[in-house]
Amino acid sequence: MLPLALLVITGGHDFERPQFTALFDSFEGMTWREAQHPNANDSYAPEAARSYDVLVLYDLNQQITEEQQAALLAMLRSGKGLVVLHHALADYQAWDDWLQVVGGRFYLAPTRRGAETVPASTWRHGVDIPVRVVDPKHPVTRGLSDFTIHDEVYGGYEVLPRAHPLLTTDHPESSPTLAWTNWYGNSRVVTIQLGHDHFAYENPNYRRLVSQAIRWVARRP
Ligand SMILES: [Zn+2]
């Protein structure tokens, strides 16, 4: 079987590049390449999208044209898998459909949601976060037991009721759900809040989680 081809989108937020590279290099049966903003969103056009099986977002970006939005949604409707990692949970704050795709959102500023105003979400580095595996039979979490990870905690981000929780935490500075599945059209979507730096990238539980998330959204167990 051909290796899974990943496209990893970055840009708009710093990260520890060598250790992040090592994370993706560690995945067996996969090849990956990176597309950086400002031109990364051209990768969703039908011709460009044929060159990869799974889209991984590790960007922090608000700029996207209507044409790129339409191409991205069409690609997902047709079944391309999507994995959203860490700060990419704050992408596209002003794009309503994107919230439905991801199934959650980190709010960079106070935001009107219907009749309410949601406060800005919060973050803190270097926290030991207790992680509970709430669906251990799911292909994304298979083989994982509850663990602790040294990572950045996010608080006050939204997770939609339609999302299916995989990991939770009772850390008081975090929203309760740390990882979830969602769907859009024919695509499978997995969002993982964790993943700030090498403490996460090098954590064997995190490696397993991201790798299994990629396989599951690609429908390649
Ligand atoms: Zn971070």
Side-chain angles (χ1 to χ4, degrees), residues 36-89:
Q36 293 184 38
H37 292 301
N39 298 319
N41 285 344
D42 293 336
S43 313
Y44 314 138
E47 191 69 24
R50 257 176 239 134
S51 66
Y52 57 95
D53 303 305
V54 172
L55 180 66
V56 179
L57 295 185
Y58 195 62
D59 57 350
L60 178 50
N61 186 50
Q62 309 304 328
Q63 302 303 317
I64 186 165
T65 67
E66 281 183 26
E67 196 179 0
Q68 290 165 337
Q69 287 180 335
L72 178 49
L73 293 184
M75 181 180 92
L76 294 172
R77 265 187 237 109
S78 73
K80 186 90 72 188
L82 172 66
V83 176
V84 176
L85 298 178
H86 194 58
H87 45 246
L89 186 52

Side-chain angles (χ1 to χ4, degrees), residues 108-182:
L108 293 169
T111 302
R112 291 287 291 180
R113 287 270 286 134
E116 289 174 55
T117 297
V118 185
S121 305
T122 60
W123 48 270
R124 187 158 72 89
H125 291 146
V127 177
D128 287 323
I129 306 169
V131 180
R132 195 162 153 250
V133 182
V134 285
D135 186 356
K137 294 198 173 112
H138 196 282
V140 174
T141 48
R142 197 168 289 153
L144 288 176
S145 310
D146 295 357
F147 61 97
T148 299
I149 191 165
H150 190 75
D151 204 347
E152 182 181 22
V153 75
Y154 286 172
Y157 59 88
E158 179 171 16
V159 179
L160 298 183
R162 65 180 280 199
H164 173 73
L166 298 175
L167 304 178
T168 63
T169 185
D170 58 7
H171 194 285
E173 289 173 80
S174 179
S175 292
T177 306
L178 290 175
W180 60 89
T181 66
N182 192 38

